[in-house]
Amino acid sequence: MLINLTLSAIAQACDGELIGQDCVVSAVVTDTRKISLGCMFVALKGERFDGHDYIEQAIQNGAAAVVSDRSIEVDHYVKVADTTLAYGAIARLVRDAFKGSVVCITGSNGKTTVKDWLAQSLFEKNVLKTRANLNNQVGVPQTLLELDVNHDIAVIEAGTSFSGEIPLLAKIAFPDVVILTNASGSHFEGLGSLEGIAKEKGALVSGAAPNANVILNADDTFFDYWCGLAGKRTLCSFGFTELADLYASDLELGAESSKAVFHYRGVALPVFIAGAGRHQIANGMAVVLAMLVIGIDFKQAVDALATPVKVAGRLERLTTKSGALLINDCYNASPSSVKAAIDVLVMQPADESWLILGALGELGAQQDEIHHDLGVYAKDKGVSCLICVGAVAGIAGMAFRNKGGNAILCHTHEEAAAIVRPLGKNHAILVKGSRSAKMENVIDALTN
Ligand code: ATP
Ligand code: MG
C-alpha cells in the first residue's frame, strides 16, 4: 500500500467510530486468505457471504484491526454503518496520497478494451490497471489499494449495475482523466432507460477532480449533455466527424485490422489499428486522446494502436477442430456490442457467416424488442444462419426467420455446438451472449 493508515484516520474517512486504541495498519484486505501481519480486515457483505463471519479467523491470522458494521469482541476496530462504503473511503485515502494520474474509464461498451489498450500502450510508465473486469464498488477500491510508490499512473475501469454506483466510484477514484466511451442500451433493468444510463455514466464526469481532463465521444447522442456536466474541466472529444478534436477519416475496415487517418490539431497521421471493426477505431481514438493528455506525442500514441489488445472472450480468433474460424466474443453482450461483433463477423473472408447467440440479460421490459431488433440486424447484415440458444435468444431467431433467414432454436450449448461442428474452413462462426448465457460452453465444446 502507498501509505500507512491510522485507525483514527480511517474512522474519520468512513464516518465511523474508533473502538479501542489507535494503531497503524500497513495493508487493507477483505479476504482472510490474504491477511498479512498488521493489516486491517474489512468485513464486506456479499450476496453469498458475510465477511463478519470471518472476523475471528482474520484476527487469528494476524490482522491488527477490523472494519465492522456491528459491535465485536476485538481490541481495535472501526465501527461503520456500511463496510462496502467504508472500503471505498479507505481506498480514497490511498488515492489522495498518489502523486501520479488516475485515469478512469466508463461507458456502455469498450471499457475493458480501452483500459487494457491504454495500459499496454503506456509501456514506458509504471502502470497499475484494473485486473480483468473488477470494475465495481469492491473492484475499484481493491485496485487503488494496490498503488505503491513506483506507480506513475492508475488506469481504472468503472462499471455500473445499479443507479448511483458510478457516483460512488467517482468519489473513490476521483479521476484526473475521465474517458466516457459511449452510452447504449445495456443494464436497462438497473438504470431504467437510455437517459438513465447516460446520467449514470455522466456522474464520472461531474465527479472527477475539478481540473480533470474529460475525454468524450463526439458521435454519441449524449455528447452535449456530458459536455454540460464537465464544468470547468478540460474537454476533448473523439469521433468520426470533423467536429471532434481527434477524428478519424479514410477508414479501411479489414477482417482483422483497420486503417484510418487520425487528425488532431491540424496534423494528420495514417494509423494501423490492430483489431477489426469501426468500434475498435473509436476505442483506439479514446486511447490516443488519453495518451496525448498524459503527455505522449501524437505519433507515438498512434503507433501504439498497431499492437493488438488481447482480451479473453472479446473477438478472440480461434479455429474449430474442423477448421472453421471461431470468433469468441462471449464474455458478455449488450445490444450495441452484438451489432459491433456482427459487423466484424460479416467482414470475414468466409463463404458463410454463422452466429450462435445466447440471451442478453438485464434488459428489463426492452428484452423482446431488443432481441427482435438483433435478429433483423443480423439478417440485414448478411448473416447466413442464426443459431439461438434458449427461448429469449429465440426471439431474435423468429425475427431472422420472418425476414427469410435460416434460424435454428437450440435448448443447450451442446446442441448448438453439434450443429456447427462439421463446418469447415469456409465458415466463420461468431459466438456471443451475456455473461449469464455462459456461451463459453459452446466455445469449449468446439475447441476441446
Ligand atoms: P463490461 O460492461 O462487460 O465490462 P466493457 O465496457 O468493459 O464491458 P469490453 O469488454 O471492452 O467492454 O467489450 C465488450 C464488448 O463490446 C465486446 O464484445 C466488443 O466487441 C464490444 N465493443 C468494444 N468496444 C465497443 C464500442 N466502442 N462500441 C460498441 N461495441 C464495442
Ligand atoms: Mg469490462
Side-chain angles (χ1 to χ4, degrees):
M1 201 162 66
L2 194 59
I3 46 167
N4 286 333
L5 293 168
T6 59
L7 296 197
S8 50
I10 288 174
Q12 195 183 5
C14 306
D15 264 338
E17 187 187 352
L18 167 59
I19 315 283
Q21 271 197 342
D22 202 1
C23 68
V24 174
V25 290
S26 52
V28 176
V29 298
T30 59
D31 181 339
T32 45
R33 289 162 299 185
K34 298 198 176 131
I35 299 271
S36 56
L37 213 59
C39 77
M40 164 164 260
F41 175 70
V42 182
L44 294 182
K45 264 192 274 191
E47 273 170 25
R48 290 179 301 273
F49 67 90
D50 184 349
H52 294 85
D53 298 338
Y54 299 93
I55 289 175
E56 209 178 301
Q57 193 184 334
I59 297 291
Q60 272 169 14
N61 291 1
V66 173
V67 175
S68 160
D69 69 8
R70 58 199 76 156
S71 299
I72 47 176
E73 296 292 316
V74 166
D75 290 344
H76 320 284
Y77 70 99
V78 176
K79 192 175 165 199
V80 297
D82 180 318
T83 51
T84 307
L85 292 178
Y87 190 45
I90 299 169
R92 172 64 189 267
L93 289 176
V94 174
R95 185 268 171 267
D96 283 344
F98 181 53
K99 301 282 178 281
S101 296
V102 174
V103 181
C104 212
I105 302 146
T106 195
S108 293
N109 299 115
K111 298 181 291 296
T112 300
T113 307
V114 169
K115 180 257 297 179
D116 285 346
W117 219 358
L118 177 61
Q120 80 175 28
S121 302
L122 295 171
F123 54 86
E124 287 171 356
K125 311 254 184 209
N126 195 344
V127 180
L128 171 74
K129 69 166 186 175
T130 298
R131 262 178 287 119
N133 205 36
L134 296 171
N135 63 13
N136 64 11
Q137 239 188 317
V138 175
V140 170
Q142 190 180 325
T143 308
L144 289 169
L145 286 163
E146 285 172 25
L147 277 169
D148 69 41
V149 286
N150 298 315
H151 288 124
D152 303 313
I153 292 180
V155 181
I156 306 289
E157 176 172 341
T160 179
S161 50
F162 63 87
S163 176
E165 189 165 20
I166 295 286
L168 289 171
L169 300 182
K171 221 167 157 188
I172 297 166
F174 201 52
D176 302 301
V177 181
V178 169
I179 304 175
L180 206 173
T181 58
N182 48 48
S184 73
S186 63
H187 305 310
F188 273 175
E189 253 173 27
L191 302 169
S193 62
L194 196 53
E195 285 69 26
I197 292 172
K199 189 165 170 236
E200 176 72 14
K201 311 286 179 201
L204 197 65
V205 176
S206 46
N211 57 349
N213 283 279
V214 175
I215 297 172
L216 296 175
N217 182 345
D219 298 326
D220 199 282
T221 322
F222 295 98
F223 175 64
D224 290 338
Y225 165 66
W226 291 325
C227 286
L229 296 178
K232 293 203 167 68
R233 299 173 183 88
T234 308
L235 276 176
C236 51
S237 60
F238 64 91
F240 294 96
T241 69
E242 291 183 19
L243 296 174
D245 297 304
L246 172 69
Y247 71 92
S249 69
D250 303 277
L251 311 191
E252 289 176 42
L253 301 175
E256 291 185 59
S257 60
S258 305
K259 286 181 184 165
V261 176
F262 279 12
H263 305 258
Y264 182 68
R265 294 190 176 164
V267 180
L269 290 176
V271 193
F272 177 86
I273 298 124
R278 199 170 187 268
H279 69 282
Q280 202 64 341
I281 303 180
N283 291 339
M285 285 193 277
V287 169
V288 168
L289 268 186
M291 291 174 80
L292 291 169
V293 162
I294 288 162
I296 314 260
D297 79 49
F298 188 27
K299 173 84 172 71
Q300 191 183 338
V302 150
D303 287 348
L305 301 186
T307 306
V309 58
K310 289 219 164 88
V311 185
R314 303 295 201 214
L315 295 179
E316 207 184 340
R317 299 174 76 87
L318 306 166
T319 308
T320 66
K321 281 189 186 157
S322 45
L325 169 67
L326 184 64
I327 303 177
N328 173 12
D329 201 54
C330 61
Y331 177 78
N332 211 346
S334 67
S336 60
S337 78
V338 175
K339 289 182 180 173
I342 290 173
D343 292 348
V344 171
L345 169 69
V346 297
M347 245 183 252
Q348 304 308 311
D351 294 341
E352 289 194 16
S353 45
W354 289 46
L355 167 60
I356 306 183
L357 185 70
L360 275 66
E362 300 179 12
L363 295 175
Q366 313 258 351
Q367 172 187 278
D368 293 6
E369 187 189 331
I370 286 173
H371 283 85
H372 174 91
D373 180 44
L374 291 176
V376 170
Y377 189 86
K379 184 71 186 82
D380 287 347
K381 287 285 166 171
V383 169
S384 322
C385 180
L386 173 59
I387 299 178
C388 305
V389 180
V392 174
I395 299 167
M398 291 292 284
F400 192 83
R401 191 175 290 166
N402 286 342
K403 292 205 78 182
N406 177 20
I408 303 169
L409 176 65
C410 296
H411 299 288
T412 65
H413 298 117
E414 180 46 47
E415 231 181 284
I419 294 170
V420 299
R421 200 168 273 127
L423 301 181
K425 268 218 298 278
N426 296 328
H427 292 79
I429 306 163
L430 166 68
V431 186
K432 180 101 184 143
S434 275
R435 192 80 301 282
S436 50
K438 297 197 170 78
M439 297 301 284
E440 61 276 10
N441 292 334
V442 178
I443 301 290
D444 291 346
L446 291 171
T447 52
N448 292 324

